[in-house]
Amino acid sequence: MSKRDNDEQKFFLVRADILPEAILKTAQAKDIISKGKVETVNQAVDKVGLSRSAFYKYRDGVFPLQDPLKGTIVSLSMLLEHRAGILSQVLNTIARANANILTINQNIPLQGVGHVTISVEIAQMSVSLDKLLKNLSDLAGVVKVELVGQA
């Protein structure tokens, strides 16, 4: 999420019974795909009775809620300016949120910007995921922050 998109992207916890059918079926299709029960998106949408266009419309916005007792791992992708101390600030921000850093992958900076992917266990986090993303986005030297996965 970029700094200017930060105020636009919000997450909500919504009961499944009030969601439109297309969103529920998208979640079902994603679950079938992730568990390897089908090989293609076509097979998944056929199995749940959903159009491919509806699946592609909603797939990037539908995520299952994980049981907090099992722990939740998120992957964050970030673009950071190539300056001393920026990654340290990112790690300190995550630590202050009481999140547990599991992995850090960092690429060689190109044109003054480096790509970093961090996997974080958030089950014991003291702030919401939205707040953590905002705090990271607000750091000087952080160009972009995106939530790219959840396990």
Side-chain angles (χ1 to χ4, degrees):
M1 144 181 1
S2 70
K3 286 185 182 184
R4 72 170 180 258
D5 293 339
N6 195 32
D7 293 331
E8 297 170 349
Q9 186 176 25
K10 296 190 187 243
F11 295 88
F12 298 91
L13 182 61
V14 181
R15 264 191 357 252
D17 64 331
I18 66 168
L19 289 172
E21 185 177 0
I23 293 176
L24 290 171
K25 288 185 176 187
T26 299
Q28 291 171 343
K30 285 180 68 170
D31 184 57
I32 291 168
I33 293 167
S34 72
K35 291 180 179 173
K37 293 181 180 178
V38 296
E39 294 181 13
T40 66
V41 169
N42 279 343
Q43 292 171 334
V45 296
D46 285 346
K47 195 166 191 165
V48 299
L50 180 69
S51 70
R52 281 180 0 117
S53 63
F55 175 80
Y56 286 113
K57 178 178 181 180
Y58 296 119
R59 73 173 175 175
D60 293 330
V62 176
F63 306 99
L65 179 65
Q66 301 294 324
D67 182 348
L69 297 176
K70 293 181 181 174
T72 301
I73 299 170
V74 296
S75 294
L76 305 175
S77 174
M78 292 179 252
L79 293 178
L80 307 177
E81 291 176 8
H82 180 55
R83 289 189 288 127
I86 295 174
L87 180 57
S88 179
Q89 289 177 27
V90 166
L91 300 178
N92 286 333
T93 300
I94 293 170
R96 277 193 305 275
N98 205 32
N100 185 29
I101 298 169
L102 302 173
T103 65
I104 303 170
N105 295 304
Q106 181 177 1
N107 293 342
I108 295 172
L110 299 173
Q111 299 175 351
V113 178
H115 180 253
V116 176
T117 304
I118 301 177
S119 297
V120 181
E121 203 266 326
I122 62 169
Q124 303 300 317
M125 202 161 59
S126 59
V127 298
S128 70
L129 183 55
D130 284 337
K131 181 68 173 165
L132 175 63
L133 295 174
K134 180 173 182 355
N135 290 347
L136 291 169
S137 293
D138 288 346
L139 292 173
V142 174
V143 177
K144 184 177 184 181
V145 177
E146 288 183 304
L147 176 66
V148 293
Q150 180 179 357

